[in-house]
Amino acid sequence: MVTDIQSYYTSPAGREFTLAAGRFAGINPASTVLDIGCGYGDGSCTIASEFRCKVTAIDESADNIDFAKKLSVERGVSHLITFMHKDANAVAFGGASFELILAEGGVLSSISRKDGLAKAAEWLESRGRLAFSDLIFLSSTAPHEVKKVFDDDAYHYESEESYRKLIDDAGFSIQFLSLVPQSGWDNYYAHMAKRLEDNKGFFADPKVKLAFHREIDVFYRLEGFRYVGFLFCIARKKN
Ligand SMILES: C[S@@+](CC[C@H](N)C(=O)[O-])C[C@H]1O[C@@H](n2cnc3c(N)ncnc32)[C@H](O)[C@@H]1O
């Protein structure tokens, strides 16, 4: 069921998960939050709007940063967010600066989970929180069609068990971990379906349209939802 038709998240974990991360981390107006791979900026705007904290939002896509800046103006939080058009692999913050890092929507898989977790540990204050969401495989027997559409050959997705080990090895203790409910996927694909009507930008590309139509088809019609899940985790840096 679609529960958030206004969403600008481009991932199945949306607003409620960002808010949960802020509450777990005790975010307040004196807090500093980093949003890695901010996309269209819904996560950054949500956390800034709810907690009035300072946010640094990074994305390697100039188009996404432009969109996110406009969204922050619409939501009345542009003065709270510093946007950076940067590759997270090439950015330095001079040590531990943030109370909370958001890495929503599979960005850890894009930048390499091990490296992303290590960077998060470096950039977080002692006992700071990392909140991330990422695709996992629920079964090792997923059909070829499902593996192909989510590009398992490139990303080599984790299972919940192997992700738990990565988190622990990176020096975090898990405080909350769950799979995003079906409504999260429905909100995500409802947003994607709207964007597939775009005539300019990323979603105007026929190849992108075809890829997303295939993914939606495989997820619902071929019951891909039985084999993939979106893991949401709030973890605390151990020291
Ligand atoms: C699936 S989107 C998720 C966006 C947003 N966090 C959300 O949940 O709606 C992933 C985003 O990560 C960005 N990204 C991927 N690799 C990145 C990198 N190395 N550095 C910065 N951003 C990156 C992409 O440009 C994209 O906007």
Side-chain angles (χ1 to χ4, degrees), residues 8-11 13 35-40 58-61 64 86-89 103-107 110-111 133:
Y8 279 107
Y9 281 87
T10 50
S11 68
D35 186 4
I36 306 176
C38 67
Y40 294 144
I58 309 178
D59 203 286
E60 65 176 2
S61 156
N64 289 0
K86 290 252 185 242
D87 178 346
N89 288 310
E104 296 189 68
V107 68
S110 292
I111 65 181
S133 59

Side-chain angles (χ1 to χ4, degrees), residues 140-226:
S140 56
T141 60
H144 173 70
E145 199 73 27
V146 177
K147 287 188 172 168
K148 195 170 148 213
V149 90
F150 290 101
D151 207 1
D152 189 44
D153 278 349
Y155 292 106
H156 307 291
Y157 290 107
E158 306 295 336
S159 63
E160 178 184 329
E161 193 185 357
S162 64
Y163 226 136
R164 281 179 181 272
K165 181 163 182 341
L166 280 180
I167 296 162
D168 187 60
D169 289 350
F172 289 96
S173 54
I174 294 171
Q175 293 198 296
F176 176 84
L177 185 132
S178 75
L179 285 177
V180 168
Q182 182 66 37
S183 57
W185 287 95
D186 296 342
N187 289 335
Y188 167 55
Y189 285 133
H191 177 207
M192 290 300 106
K194 261 198 295 183
R195 300 311 302 260
L196 293 177
E197 291 169 12
D198 287 2
N199 299 318
K200 55 179 184 178
F202 180 74
F203 288 99
D205 181 339
K207 283 196 215 111
V208 172
K209 286 185 195 291
L210 184 64
F212 271 104
H213 281 300
R214 275 209 184 117
E215 183 180 319
I216 293 170
D217 185 52
V218 166
F219 187 80
Y220 289 104
R221 191 178 59 80
L222 296 184
E223 301 190 345
F225 54 80
R226 295 189 188 283

